[in-house]
Amino acid sequence: MARTRFTKDAGLSARMGLTMFLNGLIYVVLIAAIWWILGGSTGGVVIAVLLSVGIFWFQWYFSDKVAIKAMGARVVSPQQAPELHSLVDRLCQQADMPKPQVAFADTRVPNAFATGRSPEHSVIAVTRGLLDELEPKEVEAVLAHELSHVAHRDVTVMTVAGVTGIVASLMMRSFLFARGGRNNNGVPIQLLLMLVGVVVYALSFLLIRVLSRYRELAADRAAALLTGSPSTLASALVKISGQTQKMPQQDLRQTAGASHLAFFNVGSLFSTHPSLEKRLAQLDKISNQLSTEL
């Protein structure tokens, strides 16, 4: 975790470490499975390793650009968005952290996201819908939430952890193009590739979803404590939730590509975010704690 004034979260650090370890273990099992499927041939293993290294490198260096493009956002200068930059400047100074690039997406869906491989190479983006719907203090609370993701480095962990799932997904698709044949045990290679890909993808998917829900709660806590106003973040959550539910399905589909990075996510099935009720309950608890300390 970066050294900032955002509250440290031992639970988040432990979960990130466990997620990285288990994803690494799953990846080792994946490589071993490929080796077994191909009857001990090293050619397929080498290809799988080179492919994963290439995906990792791409994810590491271009994840911010891919996320911005997926959301239809663009980086804006202080001259183009002075009020937005002013809010980010103040929060970064308050948190004692490097200022990320600031991006804007001209979409009605009220949302925000952070991405990047490190605090020094990160981007924080907001949509037109968010700026139109929220008061300046509420926007500030949302930005604090996103900046805490950068400070906690959980954005980096999510990016790296996703590589295993991508490789497994490619395996699932490869069975469509793989030539017929059987391994040394007489089992069809196409079927084995698909089954191993499905299992590995499912395990990686679940690990990332569990971490994602916890990191959102950790970001809520950190933002509430940094700004000293949990009720403001709660107000923003309620407003965003109400407006997002009113958005037409076409708008939601257009932003689905970056949903894992978003401040608020629609739907509970396999959701990357905890429920609104759970987030509000936590913020109410923090508010009571702050009132007691005063």
Side-chain angles (χ1 to χ4, degrees):
M1 179 175 173
R3 294 182 178 179
T4 69
R5 295 196 181 109
F6 278 109
T7 303
K8 294 182 179 181
D9 193 304
L12 177 61
S13 298
R15 283 169 173 79
M16 289 193 298
L18 182 61
T19 298
M20 292 296 288
F21 172 77
L22 291 177
N23 261 280
L25 182 61
I26 291 172
Y27 180 72
V28 171
V29 172
L30 174 64
I31 296 300
I34 294 174
W35 179 83
W36 179 78
I37 289 171
L38 299 179
S41 171
T42 58
V45 173
V46 171
I47 292 174
V49 171
L50 292 177
L51 178 64
S52 61
V53 169
I55 294 173
F56 173 81
W57 182 84
F58 183 84
Q59 286 275 87
W60 182 259
Y61 283 97
F62 298 106
S63 59
D64 54 344
K65 295 179 177 60
V66 171
I68 289 175
K69 186 174 182 180
M71 287 287 285
R74 59 185 176 86
V75 174
V76 291
S77 67
Q79 291 73 33
Q80 293 172 313
E83 294 181 1
L84 183 57
H85 270 272
S86 178
L87 289 174
V88 175
D89 284 332
R90 184 163 62 250
L91 285 170
C92 288
Q93 184 176 11
Q94 187 176 353
D96 191 22
M97 66 179 291
K99 181 184 177 182
Q101 288 185 299
V102 179
F104 173 78
D106 190 16
T107 174
R108 290 190 299 140
V109 179
N111 230 322
F113 70 90
T115 183
R117 63 182 184 271
S118 70
E120 292 75 22
H121 301 87
S122 59
V123 180
I124 183 170
V126 299
T127 65
R128 173 170 58 86
L130 185 89
L131 298 179
D132 289 344
E133 180 62 24
L134 302 185
E135 299 295 329
K137 279 294 183 181
E138 294 169 334
V139 174
E140 185 178 50
V142 171
L143 292 174
H145 170 103
E146 295 302 331
L147 286 172
S148 73
H149 282 312
V150 176
H152 289 160
R153 294 184 182 271
D154 57 68
V155 171
T156 304
V157 171
M158 293 291 287
T159 299
V160 174
V163 173
T164 302
I166 294 174
V167 175
S169 178
L170 291 175
M171 281 189 65
M172 287 189 290
R173 296 176 184 179
S174 69
F175 88 96
L176 296 173
F177 307 101
R179 294 180 180 180
R182 297 173 181 271
N183 74 341
N184 293 339
N185 296 295
V187 184
I189 290 178
Q190 290 177 310
L191 177 62
L192 289 173
L193 284 173
M194 182 182 68
L195 291 177
V196 171
V198 168
V199 171
V200 171
Y201 180 84
L203 291 174
S204 178
F205 179 89
L206 290 174
L207 282 173
I208 291 175
R209 286 299 182 273
V210 171
L211 173 61
S212 182
R213 292 190 184 101
Y214 187 89
R215 81 185 186 113
E216 293 302 326
L217 292 173
D220 284 349
R221 285 193 295 270
L225 292 173
L226 181 74
T227 61
S229 182
S231 61
T232 303
L233 180 55
S235 174
L237 280 169
V238 172
K239 286 185 179 181
I240 294 174
S241 174
Q243 287 300 310
T244 305
Q245 297 295 340
K246 297 176 184 178
M247 291 293 108
Q249 290 301 308
Q250 180 63 30
D251 277 356
L252 297 180
R253 285 195 295 270
Q254 289 174 353
T255 60
S259 64
H260 66 290
L261 298 171
F263 173 75
F264 196 88
N265 201 25
V266 179
S268 58
L269 185 62
F270 301 124
S271 176
T272 57
H273 289 54
S275 66
L276 175 62
E277 291 75 16
K278 191 171 185 178
R279 297 176 76 174
L280 293 179
Q282 176 183 247
L283 291 172
D284 184 60
K285 183 178 179 181
I286 294 174
S287 182
N288 292 332
Q289 290 174 346
L290 292 177
S291 299
T292 302
E293 291 175 3
L294 294 176

